[in-house]
Amino acid sequence: MSAIAEAFRSGGIWMYLILAVSIFAIGITIERFIFLFFKYNINAQAFMAQIQKLVMADNIDRAIKLCNAAPSRALPKVIKAGLTRANKGEVEIQNAIEEATLEVVPKVQKRTPALAVLANIATLLGLLGTIIGLIEAFEALESATPENRQQMLSRGIALAMNTTAFGLVVAIPTLVAHLILSGMTKKILDEIDMYSVKLENLLVTRGKGGTNPLEQ
C-alpha cells in the first residue's frame, strides 16, 4: 500500500484528476448494470409467447395485466402501448408503439456512451501527465545543478510513468464495462424493435385467420 501511495503522490495533480474520472466511471457502470440487467431486461421470448397466447385468445385485458406485472421492464412498456390500442386501426396501433418506443429507448441508452468518453479522458490525462513529467526530466538535465539533477530527473520520470499507468488502469476496465453494457443495451433495443413489429402484425391480423407473425 505504501508503494501505491508513493506512486500516487509522485503523480501529482494528474493522479487526482484521473481518480475523479474513475469515480464517475464506477458510478455510471454500477448504475447502468443495475438498470440494464435487472430493471429493464426481461426474458423476451417467454414473455412474448404468453402475450401471443392471450392475444390469439382475444384476451387483451389479461395481456395488459401481464405487462403491468413488469412495470419497470422496457419491452412490456412498449407492448402495453400497442395492446391498449388493440381494437383500433393499424395506424393508431403503430403510432402508440412508436410513441412508447421513443420514450423507452433514451432511458435504455442513457449514460452508457459516457463510459467510452471517460475512458478516453483517463487515457489523455495520463498522456498529458507523461508529457509534463518528461518536460520536467529534460529541464532537469539542462538546468539543474549536479546535486539536484538526479532527484529532479527521478521525479519527472516517476510523474510520467505513474500517470500513464494509472490512466490505463482506469481506461481499460472502463472500456470493458462500456463493451458489456453496450451489448446489453443493443439486446434490449433489438428485442423491442423485433417484438413490437410482430405484435403490431399480430394485432392487425388477429381474428382474420392470418399467419401468426410470432411464429415466423
Side-chain angles (χ1 to χ4, degrees):
M1 291 297 294
S2 59
I4 296 176
E6 176 61 26
F8 197 89
R9 184 194 63 79
S10 65
I13 189 173
W14 308 105
M15 302 293 273
Y16 290 96
L17 292 174
I18 297 171
L19 178 62
V21 172
S22 72
I23 293 173
F24 279 107
I26 291 172
I28 291 174
T29 298
I30 294 174
E31 185 264 349
R32 286 290 86 191
F33 184 86
I34 292 172
F35 274 75
L36 292 176
F37 282 84
F38 298 104
K39 185 173 181 179
Y40 295 148
N41 191 32
I42 193 172
N43 187 335
Q45 186 173 2
F47 171 76
M48 288 306 298
Q50 292 179 289
I51 294 293
Q52 168 202 335
K53 292 178 182 178
L54 293 172
V55 172
M56 295 303 293
D58 205 25
N59 196 344
I60 302 299
D61 290 340
R62 182 77 178 274
I64 292 175
K65 290 180 180 178
L66 182 62
C67 295
N68 290 334
S72 65
R73 313 293 176 174
L75 180 60
K77 286 184 178 181
V78 176
I79 298 303
K80 178 184 175 181
L83 291 172
T84 57
R85 297 293 188 277
N87 296 320
K88 304 293 183 179
E90 180 178 355
V91 174
E92 290 195 41
I93 294 173
Q94 183 179 9
N95 289 340
I97 290 175
E98 288 180 355
E99 182 179 348
T101 301
L102 290 174
E103 181 181 345
V104 168
V105 168
K107 294 179 181 179
V108 176
Q109 294 177 327
K110 191 176 182 180
R111 282 188 284 274
T112 299
L115 289 174
V117 177
L118 290 174
N120 287 331
I121 291 174
T123 303
L124 292 174
L125 286 173
L127 178 60
L128 184 57
T130 300
I131 294 173
I132 299 299
L134 292 176
I135 290 173
E136 290 184 4
F138 285 122
E139 287 178 348
L141 291 175
E142 289 183 358
S143 59
T145 60
E147 57 271 18
N148 293 330
R149 183 174 299 165
Q150 184 64 37
Q151 180 182 0
M152 294 181 64
L153 182 62
S154 298
R155 186 172 62 189
I157 293 175
L159 171 61
M161 296 298 101
N162 289 329
T163 52
T164 299
F166 191 39
L168 293 176
V169 165
V170 173
I172 292 172
T174 301
L175 284 176
V176 173
H178 177 262
L179 178 65
I180 295 172
L181 295 174
S182 294
M184 177 55 69
T185 299
K186 185 177 184 302
K187 170 186 174 293
I188 294 173
L189 297 181
D190 287 346
E191 289 174 348
I192 290 174
D193 289 340
M194 178 175 65
Y195 287 116
S196 63
V197 171
K198 290 189 174 185
L199 175 72
E200 181 183 341
N201 294 335
L202 180 61
L203 292 176
V204 171
T205 60
R206 95 183 198 275
K208 296 181 179 180
T211 302
N212 184 356
L214 294 178
E215 295 178 348
Q216 293 178 353

